[in-house]
Amino acid sequence: MHCCVFSNNVPLEDEREMKELAREKGLLCMGPDCGVANINGAALVLSSINARGPFGIVGASGTGIQHVAAILHEAGSGVSQTIGTGGNDLKEPVGGITMLMGIDALEADPETKYIILISRKPADSVLNKLLERIKQMRKPRVVFFMGCDKKTIEDAGAVWAGNLDDCALRALELIGNDYSLGSLEDIKQIAKKAAEGMAPEQKYVRGAYTGGTYLDEGMRTMWDATGGIWSNAPLKPEWKLAEGADSKENTAIDYGEEEFTLGRPHPAIDASIRRPAILKEAADPTVAVIVLDFILTPPGHMDPCGYVVPDIIKAQEMAEKRGGKIAFVASVLGTTADWQDIRKQEAELEAAGVYVCRTNYRAALLASEIIKLRRNAK
Amino acid sequence: MTVPEKVAEANKKVIDIMTKARPVWVDVRPAIEVVPGMDKDLILIPGPPIEPKDLPIPLKTAVCGAACHDGLAKNVDEAWEMVLAGKIRIAPSQDYNCGNAASSVMSPSMPVFVVEDKTSGGKGFCVPHPGSNPRVLRWGIYGDDVEENLRFIRGDYAQVLGEAVRASGGIDLIRVLSRTAGMGDENHNRQPAASMALALELVPRLLDVDHPARDKVIKEIAANDRFFLHVMMAGVEAIMSSAKKVPYSTVMVGMGGNGIEFGIQTAATGNRWYTTKAPLISGIFLKPTTTEKDLLGYLGDSCVTEVWGLGGMSAIAGPAYLRMTGGTFKDAKERTEKARMVSLGEHNFAPVPWDDYRGFPVGVDIRKVVGLNILPISHGGSALKTGGQAGAGAAELPMDVFRKAVEGVYEEVKRLEVEA
Amino acid sequence: MTDVSKALSLFRSELVIVNVGPKSFADVLEKQGYRTLQVDWKPAAGGDKKMQEMLEYLGGY
């Protein structure tokens, strides 16, 4: 039996043992810590429901896989299989066993015409092993290993992608689909409108994320515009927010971290975990922008956006009473096939005055542009 | 022997004590005469230890009422002052091989059922069940009428009943329970069959007693379908008094609540209590105006019957109780299945026809509860914060006490190993 | 290259999912039209390492 293991905090040696046993038996061991896998069209664990298509994905980031698959779906294409490896597969002690097996399987699968690989930057020894394997692949492939330079990837015969959005767009190019997520100019226009009417002290951004991948992407994107972001999972250790401490200046919080989820389900399933963040952040008069992500998945909340709309409206009223307004910026990860329906979710947010962006990256770009305008405002 | 081997052997010993027990009801005597450690200033209360000032209202009422009944104080106010000052002491019944159901308490002069386990030699004690009158000490109510009934029980009732029981040469509770096979009782919160089977043994002997109050006593007993419960509680305490002497065993041998805290005991650590906030009994209320806010936490020692495999443990034997308290037949089956998954033994005296003639699971292993993350469900009556019965139902036992018990037994076993 | 014949046969056959753990995951797969088998399982001692060690010392469960 092939396995998809959602549990996390499994010691790396145990993970290696599990995966070696699976390899010996010729079985896929997706995870531990595998949040997304889409096998034969079934949305396992926290996947979205995706259209079937020619792209096979192997990824160590569940959100990453889901993100790319959702854009493929939106662009009219789809996935053959998506194989989640778990977040630790490409670490030294595990050695990328599942990603290598996943590549082998998708290379041999006649339904898979193109292969997409997604991960944070693998450990050096694992990266070398992977690059060797990528070099020998026969099918066209797009690789997004966060922080890996273009040349390294291209030397292995793969298409390089700079971020998750780019990864999906590069893949679509392989099938001649010139799908676009919109330009930076569009975002700048929206930012201007969003930044108008704020009170002079409103200068900061607050991010309330439901998972690490989007938090990371958000913070990287907003770093330069903000000059640094405090977090419970910061990009740099000196920006670490003390546990349980209130947000200050520019802050982004991952509500999927253990301090919030110990003994509770993931915030994608239990929407109440992040809910208090909205009113808490909005109570601070220096806040200009609040960034939110939403993830759609069958076991998740059936109306995650509608669930927080009353709080967003209340927050906006609080800001107005202070003579300002808050720019709510959000993105929804999911598809039109998801039971929650991404169009319906987006419409609910838009009706509440939220600036809904196509992707998390673009939401962070919009937040950055607004902050730039606010920092320069007199 | 390794520690796991010692634990396995000790557990087998405890399960043998529980499943081969032969509890026999031999006498009715004043507590002060028969309960080891009982003293004239001591009142035994249900559940784990508690500071007098923390006693919930029903127990406070019962303790003070019992103190007046025993002449320890002139009135309840004086009794309460004495309790607070430590001049009247309170202690957990189960530490004295006694059980006190609901808000019952045991004062030195009260008559107690004496049950002896003929296999292990242990003795256990419990006051008589006071009948279906809602105004009783057992539900935390005291007044002139209650006092009058307590005096009847201490006097004529105890004399007549004691004489009959002694004349019988002892009534074998296993024989009584065996007769109830297939009669639909779980024997903690529902026991008409066992009460009737017990009456079969008792009434002929009672009729032989020459006493002016004889007929009144017979009427009391024959009309009380819960009479068996308190006899059985004394029986369970007799068995557990032996089980508590088995070091290394991880089997649960005691449990109870005082309305504020709930606790369990294990064989390895005897009378040491592992406690947490008392859970609420969920089920039905006697009055439609009662709400959950009116409920006191788990109260009473009658759940010692559960320790011995009755009640929620053998819910499948008494599905009618579930129906009455808002459950289903399937729930009954699930409760017993859960109990089986965390138990080490099975009784053979009253196999359940609609459960493949399987016996009641008995002997909860605290390791299994914590390891498998499966909580046994206990049946129970619920009490009002202000006194009186609220209703009846069931409660999942709190995981916290089992985790504390594992830690306690672990430390005790370590200590024994170091000594050896 | 590892042997991928079993993975390929997985991709070609009707999916049957054995769900070990919270039943909600199986329920939503059923609703998507897949066959599931539910296995009720919880991690030992709720995943508490200290408890697991003490249980181990006492002979397991």
Side-chain angles (χ1 to χ4, degrees):
Chain A
M1 197 161 25
H2 304 273
C3 286
C4 175
V5 184
F6 183 47
S7 308
N8 57 2
N9 287 328
V10 175
L12 294 183
E13 349 25 302
D14 294 358
E15 176 168 345
R16 183 177 183 96
E17 198 182 327
M18 287 164 68
K19 289 184 167 177
E20 279 175 345
L21 181 67
R23 181 171 59 188
E24 199 180 296
K25 292 176 179 289
L27 296 166
L28 289 172
C29 180
M30 297 179 273
D33 190 25
C34 173
V36 169
N38 200 300
I39 301 294
N40 299 3
L44 301 179
V45 270
L46 302 184
S47 307
S48 276
I49 299 176
N50 288 113
R52 305 296 298 274
F55 294 98
I57 306 178
V58 191
S61 153
T63 306
I65 298 174
Q66 194 174 353
H67 184 99
V68 171
I71 296 173
L72 298 176
H73 178 106
E74 194 70 32
S77 186
V79 292
S80 53
Q81 310 287 347
T82 74
I83 297 170
T85 65
N88 297 315
D89 190 62
L90 303 189
K91 288 185 179 162
E92 178 80 50
V94 185
I97 294 175
T98 302
M99 184 163 281
L100 288 164
M101 266 189 85
I103 293 172
D104 291 349
L106 293 179
E107 277 271 283
D109 172 32
E111 303 300 319
T112 301
K113 312 292 184 198
Y114 311 91
I115 295 173
I116 301 167
L117 305 178
I118 301 167
S119 174
R120 294 187 184 196
K121 194 175 179 184
D124 284 344
S125 65
V126 182
L127 179 62
N128 288 335
K129 214 171 1 171
L130 274 170
L131 290 170
E132 273 311 304
R133 180 68 188 92
I134 293 167
K135 210 175 273 180
Q136 285 154 24
M137 285 168 72
R138 291 170 293 107
K139 292 181 181 175
R141 56 269 188 198
V142 179
V143 175
F144 170 53
F145 289 162
M146 194 191 283
C148 249
D149 65 90
K150 194 171 180 181
K151 188 170 178 303
T152 309
I153 300 297
E154 287 182 345
D155 284 352
V159 176
W160 174 85
N163 62 30
L164 287 171
D165 288 5
D166 193 36
C167 182
L169 297 178
R170 296 287 84 78
L172 286 164
E173 274 172 11
L174 293 178
I175 57 166
N177 185 327
D178 59 354
Y179 186 77
S180 164
L181 291 165
S183 67
L184 181 59
E185 223 19 70
D186 302 340
I187 284 175
K188 286 187 172 166
Q189 290 305 320
I190 300 167
K192 259 186 214 156
K193 191 172 148 243
E196 277 168 17
M198 287 189 182
E201 67 271 26
Q202 288 187 270
K203 289 186 186 302
Y204 298 116
V205 64
R206 298 288 158 81
Y209 291 90
T210 58
T213 298
Y214 275 174
L215 171 82
D216 251 39
E217 186 179 62
M219 290 194 298
R220 277 172 208 283
T221 310
M222 298 186 291
W223 193 267
D224 289 343
T226 54
I229 300 173
W230 299 96
S231 177
N232 58 338
L235 290 179
K236 295 175 180 169
E238 62 271 29
W239 289 87
K240 171 98 179 158
L241 207 58
E243 194 165 320
D246 285 341
S247 302
K248 57 180 172 183
E249 299 164 358
N250 298 296
T251 299
I253 303 287
D254 176 7
Y255 283 86
E257 280 282 309
E258 226 167 54
E259 58 185 290
F260 299 105
T261 59
L262 200 65
R264 298 180 71 178
H266 190 274
I269 296 177
D270 184 352
S272 70
I273 292 173
R274 184 186 58 176
R275 181 176 176 179
I278 295 172
L279 288 174
K280 210 170 105 190
E281 301 300 359
D284 181 343
T286 67
V287 170
V289 187
I290 293 177
V291 186
L292 303 168
D293 63 343
F294 295 90
I295 296 182
L296 311 184
T297 172
H301 193 284
M302 281 316 287
D303 185 14
C305 296
Y307 175 71
V308 297
V309 158
D311 287 355
I312 291 173
I313 291 169
K314 206 166 159 192
Q316 207 55 275
E317 285 168 3
M318 282 160 55
E320 274 164 27
K321 268 189 203 148
R322 294 192 298 254
K325 72 164 196 186
I326 293 171
F328 278 95
V329 176
S331 66
V332 185
L333 169 55
T335 72
T336 50
D338 275 315
W339 300 335
Q340 297 89 345
D341 188 356
I342 186 168
R343 288 293 98 77
K344 179 174 167 279
Q345 297 300 319
E346 289 171 339
E348 282 180 317
L349 292 173
E350 277 163 356
V354 177
Y355 299 101
V356 180
C357 298
R358 295 296 314 283
T359 65
N360 180 62
Y361 170 66
R362 293 180 65 80
L365 276 183
L366 175 56
S368 302
E369 291 302 320
I370 298 170
I371 293 301
K372 278 189 211 163
L373 292 170
R374 293 307 308 160
R375 289 180 84 181
N376 296 330
K378 292 277 175 313
Chain B
M1 267 205 303
T2 65
V3 168
E5 282 164 355
K6 286 181 193 173
V7 172
E9 192 184 67
N11 283 346
K12 189 183 172 298
K13 201 167 163 190
V14 168
I15 295 305
D16 276 353
I17 289 172
M18 289 186 178
T19 55
K20 291 179 179 159
R22 207 77 192 175
V24 175
W25 180 17
V26 294
D27 211 344
V28 181
R29 290 275 175 204
I32 188 80
E33 286 179 22
V34 287
V35 175
M38 191 65 189
D39 217 334
K40 51 187 186 310
D41 64 343
L42 181 64
I43 293 176
L44 299 181
I45 60 163
I50 186 169
E51 288 295 320
K53 63 174 174 42
D54 298 329
L55 283 172
I57 292 168
L59 267 183
K60 179 181 163 184
T61 306
V63 166
C64 294
C68 294
H69 175 62
D70 261 56
L72 296 172
K74 286 193 289 292
N75 54 51
V76 289
D77 292 335
E78 188 189 62
W80 183 232
E81 288 305 316
M82 290 175 76
V83 171
L84 286 177
K87 287 178 185 155
I88 293 171
R89 293 180 294 134
I90 56 171
S93 314
Q94 289 179 55
D95 294 357
Y96 292 79
N97 306 327
C98 297
N100 270 306
S103 197
S104 287
V105 298
M106 185 193 288
S107 59
S109 76
M110 285 185 184
V112 295
F113 299 151
V114 182
V115 176
E116 193 178 329
D117 173 16
K118 296 293 181 188
T119 314
S120 72
K123 275 188 187 168
F125 316 91
C126 186
V127 297
H129 188 285
S132 57
N133 181 354
R135 286 188 53 82
V136 285
L137 214 56
R138 191 180 190 272
W139 285 110
I141 291 167
Y142 186 68
D144 290 345
D145 54 332
V146 178
E147 176 58 34
E148 194 184 332
N149 188 51
L150 285 171
R151 287 183 186 187
F152 164 66
I153 288 176
R154 182 168 63 192
D156 295 345
Y157 183 97
Q159 275 176 38
V160 172
L161 190 56
E163 200 171 309
V165 171
R166 285 188 293 276
S168 73
I171 297 171
D172 182 346
L173 302 184
I174 297 291
R175 192 168 67 206
V176 170
L177 280 168
S178 299
R179 286 182 177 149
T180 70
M183 293 174 82
D185 288 348
E186 44 74 277
N187 294 304
H188 172 189
N189 280 59
R190 187 182 203 275
Q191 55 276 90
S195 294
M196 284 190 281
L198 186 55
L200 283 181
E201 306 255 355
L202 210 49
V203 172
R205 298 290 177 183
L206 284 165
L207 288 169
D208 289 340
V209 177
D210 184 18
H211 192 285
R214 182 190 68 193
D215 291 357
K216 192 182 173 196
V217 174
I218 293 175
K219 260 188 203 165
E220 278 289 329
I221 291 167
N224 184 0
D225 69 351
R226 306 211 61 196
F227 181 78
F228 176 76
L229 174 63
H230 288 211
V231 183
M232 192 64 245
M233 285 169 61
V236 171
E237 282 305 305
I239 299 162
M240 297 310 150
S241 74
S242 301
K244 280 180 184 177
K245 291 174 189 153
V246 183
Y248 283 88
S249 168
T250 54
V251 175
M252 179 168 89
V253 295
M255 75 186 228
N258 55 35
I260 308 297
E261 288 211 300
F262 172 86
I264 64 167
Q265 298 176 322
T266 64
T269 54
N271 283 332
R272 180 166 162 192
W273 286 92
Y274 304 100
T275 63
T276 195
K277 186 175 178 287
L280 294 180
I281 300 270
S282 62
I284 47 142
F285 296 128
L286 300 182
K287 287 185 192 151
T289 49
T290 303
T291 69
E292 204 171 84
K293 282 195 204 107
D294 306 321
L295 286 188
L296 194 62
Y298 202 105
L299 176 66
D301 291 328
S302 66
C303 53
V304 295
T305 52
E306 309 258 346
V307 173
W308 194 56
L310 308 179
M313 296 280 289
S314 48
I316 188 61
Y321 178 72
L322 278 95
R323 176 83 174 185
M324 184 186 85
T325 53
T328 62
F329 187 80
K330 192 164 159 263
D331 294 334
K333 186 141 180 75
E334 272 177 22
R335 279 181 200 175
T336 298
E337 284 308 323
K338 271 190 181 176
R340 282 204 176 106
M341 289 174 84
V342 295
S343 295
L344 296 177
E346 186 167 313
H347 283 309
N348 53 21
F349 52 71
V352 184
W354 49 90
D355 194 27
D356 290 332
Y357 289 101
R358 291 197 62 181
F360 309 159
V362 63
V364 169
D365 183 350
I366 57 164
R367 296 174 307 173
K368 286 184 180 284
V369 174
V370 174
L372 297 171
N373 221 335
I374 294 174
L375 293 167
I377 292 171
S378 169
H379 290 172
S382 52
L384 295 166
K385 280 178 183 159
T386 50
Q389 182 172 9
E396 201 168 52
L397 301 187
M399 180 54 83
D400 201 31
V401 294
F402 290 96
R403 292 167 58 91
K404 284 174 179 163
V406 165
E407 211 171 326
V409 173
Y410 169 83
E411 282 163 8
E412 173 65 9
V413 169
K414 274 246 149 146
R415 189 184 67 77
L416 291 175
E417 288 294 302
V418 169
E419 272 182 12
Chain C
M1 276 268 293
T2 43
D3 175 13
V4 293
S5 55
K6 284 180 188 163
L8 290 182
S9 94
L10 167 72
F11 297 160
R12 276 194 290 265
S13 47
E14 188 204 350
L15 199 63
V16 180
I17 300 138
V18 179
N19 186 63
V20 185
K23 190 159 182 302
S24 53
F25 285 108
D27 292 342
V28 295
L29 283 161
E30 289 269 338
K31 210 175 146 196
Q32 289 176 57
Y34 297 90
R35 279 174 62 199
T36 68
L37 281 167
Q38 174 63 22
V39 176
D40 291 323
W41 175 87
K42 293 185 237 177
D48 183 326
K49 283 261 152 49
K50 200 175 140 214
M51 271 296 142
Q52 286 171 356
E53 278 165 25
M54 288 191 279
L55 290 173
E56 191 75 19
Y57 178 78
L58 295 171
Y61 54 92

